[in-house]
Amino acid sequence: MADVRELVDKVAADLSFAEVSQSPVDVGEMVVKVDREKYLAACRRLRDEFGFDYLSFVTCVDYPESLEIVAYAINLETQARVKVLVDLSKEEPEVDSLVEVWPTANWHEREAYDLFGVVFRGHPDLRRILLDEKFEGHPLRKDYGSNPLLKAYE
Amino acid sequence: MTSAKQELHREEMVINMGPQHPSTHGVLRAVVTLEGETVRGVDPVIGYLHRCFEKICEQKTWTQVIPYTDRTDYVAALTNELAYVLAVEKLMGLEVPERAQYIRVIMAELQRIASHLLWFGTFGNDLGAFTPFLYAFRERETLIDIFEKTTGARLTYNYIRLGGVRNDLPADFERETLAFLEKLEKGLEEYHNLLIGNAIFEYRTKGLGVLTAEQAVAWGASGPTLRASGVAWDLRKSEPYLVYDRFDFEVPVGQKGDIYDRCICRMKEMEESAKIVRQALEGLPEGDVVGKVPRVIKPPQGQAYAAVEAPRGELGCFVVSDGGIKPYRVKWRSPCFVHLQLLDVIARGELVADFIANIGSIDIILGEVDR
Amino acid sequence: MQAVLWSVLKLLIVLTFILLNAMLLIWLERKVSAWIQLRLGPMRVGRPQGWAQSIADVLKLLFKEDIVPSRVDKVLFVLGPIIAFMPALMVWAVIPFGPNFVSADLNIGVLYIAAIGSIGLMSIFTGGWGSNNKWSLISAMRSAAQLFSYEVPLVLALIGVVMLAGSLSLTDIIRAQQETAWYILYQPLGFLVFLIAGIAEVNRTPFDLSEAESELVAGWHVEYSGLRWAMYFLAEYGNLLALSALAATLFLGGWTAPFGLDFIPPFVWFLLKTYLFVFVAMWIRWTFPRVRIDQLMDLSWKFLIPVALLNIALTGIGITIFS
């Protein structure tokens, strides 16, 4: 398994606006935390400069205070992996789309839009993907609905 | 001449392939735009099998999730469990006994063979050859019997547990598995004579559904679909999880990235898996099959991503823990979901018949796509 | 009067023969496919070997509700299955079952068969068009293209036989084979073309493009059910049987007994040869994958027709040299 310690320093020097670290649970994983506005630029640099040409997935995590976008990319040559994190406010869950950097982001972002309600700016085809078009709400949000049966179970 | 052309009325036909269609491998709906028989565009519509897997995971304890993972990719349940369990173990830093790791490797590779056998059968069916299906199922049946003996179930096993596996291998596992591998060798030869070596099969698959290496990487293809395009990326080699670095095996790579290469990659992978199983059985150490696991699973706060080389490609599980007894978030990175996007890329401009072959060649399981 | 009664009786016998045989063929197809696929096939209805399965199936289909979807073209929809059965029956008028056992010994028998064969296309086309279904429409277009291109090599393959026999009458062709040898020996190329084109003509795998269940669901009969569907189904096997009988007559010496085995009646020999060809067709069906529509066209126009023409030329040269 590749160790990304050296890479972390390099990326930190290059992406001065980002918070770069090594994942505490995984030595092969680099964590890049960026602001919403720098997200697309950071991803593009990671692809062009550092060879992260393979996007594994894009998803979202609903934390109590914010929504966190997680994009996971791999460098197929060095086997280094990077996790890009962006915090979004719940009031305005909007972020740039990665489709122009990695085309495969298309469906992952549609899924995140469908289940979390995150709007990806510049996405070519932002529709619901798993749920019906007429479906209301975004079910993977923690505050979505509240099934009385589940409440009783808890 | 031009006037005659103008008089010809041309019209594109939008046709709904599925959700009930014999060749959509479940409940995929593909909205296909046809001009005559030529495919001009594909819009896969998914979600018919959506069972809120990721939401359910948030309601269950960490161990209770395992049986649910079985139900995503239901023809390769063991690798699903493996991806989830590895992610949680990574988060917790659990030690897994060596014997358990070997058993996991053996089961995962046997699962790959079982899954590829099923693919082979259904792919033949897509091309209009029904007989290979039953030949493949003959071998798969033996394998499923071995799984049943070991895990107690035939399809959804719930066998791989946090810190190890549920139980040790049964007494005659080695003998039966080796007998099966021998049978498989003969079977593979037979499949070649029956379908893969057939001239019609080559006509139907060569040079069609081409996916270049750049496209494959950009669109996030993985597994045999990526390797057929000439990218030798296999998680078992690049990030050897479990004990894969101890075995000697090759990663079959194609050149053109057409349907034929994808088929050949899968057929060869079965041979390589058989090799791994043989080596793992030989080197199987003695010892416990479950490590030291706390009674209540409470992974520390954090995120972890673990990916395994599932039969269909990179199957990843991204888990987030808030330190509680339930996962805070489970994200399932399923290869089929990603591959389904490719349909439009590879099938555009080809005929309806090739479209069916293309769906078959990327080997989708809708249970995993929709989760 | 007696002559009229005799010909009506002959017709009835032929009709019963075809229907029974079509049902038998369905059972046989299941058994042959099961045998090839390591299965048992039907076992429960009728012992031994589930022989009554087809009868049970036909009865079930007879009692099913007759559904005509509301948006189909009713006339065409109803007409399709009826037309389907016609050519399968009409071919049998000229096929000799035995030395004096033929409904109508036309002196233009081969020409008549070639003409009748094209009607089969009409049934698929009316059914597919009338169903008002996209899949059926594609299927209808496919079958039109397919049958047009396969009619040509099929007829060209027959010409070699006609040249050798010097007659268009099927009885004469058999008699000519008795004098020399089975025409499969003189016409191997012709037989090959006939085999391929014939299988394409009756829409069987690897050329079952108009049905193609994995692509077009069921092709032209996707909207049909019950008795109408059964008629299509029986017609398919009727056509296969007719084609096999034709192959047996033209290339395998018809009712002629081989190796001097005269004690077996000619009728039995004819059936045996017919079923041999049927078996070959089934064997091919359950072994090969399906070709694609453009490859099918290529095969017909770029391979079969040149080969058939070559065969005619060779036959002509052979006749000139040896006579």
Side-chain angles (χ1 to χ4, degrees), chain B residues 14-17 21-23 37 126-128 130-131 134-135 138 198 200 203-204 208 351 353-354 356, chain C residues 36-39 134-135 138 142 205-206 213-217 286-295:
Chain B
V14 176
I15 198 162
N16 237 333
M17 196 171 271
H21 185 279
S23 294
E37 284 217 23
D126 289 341
L127 293 182
F130 188 61
T131 304
L134 288 130
Y135 278 62
R138 173 190 54 185
N198 190 312
I200 299 178
Y203 275 130
R204 285 295 308 275
L208 292 165
L351 298 178
D354 302 326
I356 302 296
Chain C
I36 290 175
Q37 299 176 341
L38 325 159
R39 297 183 285 126
K134 286 171 180 174
W135 300 117
I138 299 180
R142 276 186 180 188
T205 319
E213 82 286 342
S214 62
E215 296 156 26
L216 303 185
V217 191
W286 295 105
T287 321
F288 282 126
R290 184 184 305 122
V291 299
R292 221 173 48 203
I293 183 79
D294 54 326
Q295 290 162 351

Side-chain angles (χ1 to χ4, degrees), chain C residues 139-210:
Chain C
S139 155
M141 295 302 171
R142 276 186 180 188
S143 70
Q146 176 179 346
L147 294 191
F148 275 132
S149 28
Y150 275 80
E151 201 76 0
V152 181
L154 191 74
V155 174
L156 286 179
L158 298 183
I159 287 178
V161 172
V162 173
M163 282 164 80
L164 280 180
S167 167
L168 286 166
S169 154
L170 292 177
T171 314
D172 286 352
I173 290 174
I174 293 177
R175 297 230 185 266
Q177 290 185 62
Q178 280 172 330
E179 279 159 24
T180 53
W182 293 2
Y183 281 164
I184 190 172
L185 298 175
Y186 290 118
Q187 296 274 327
L189 273 182
F191 182 72
L192 183 76
V193 174
F194 181 84
L195 178 74
I196 298 176
I199 286 173
E201 178 91 5
V202 296
N203 268 323
R204 290 174 67 83
T205 319
F207 307 115
D208 63 337
L209 287 158
S210 51

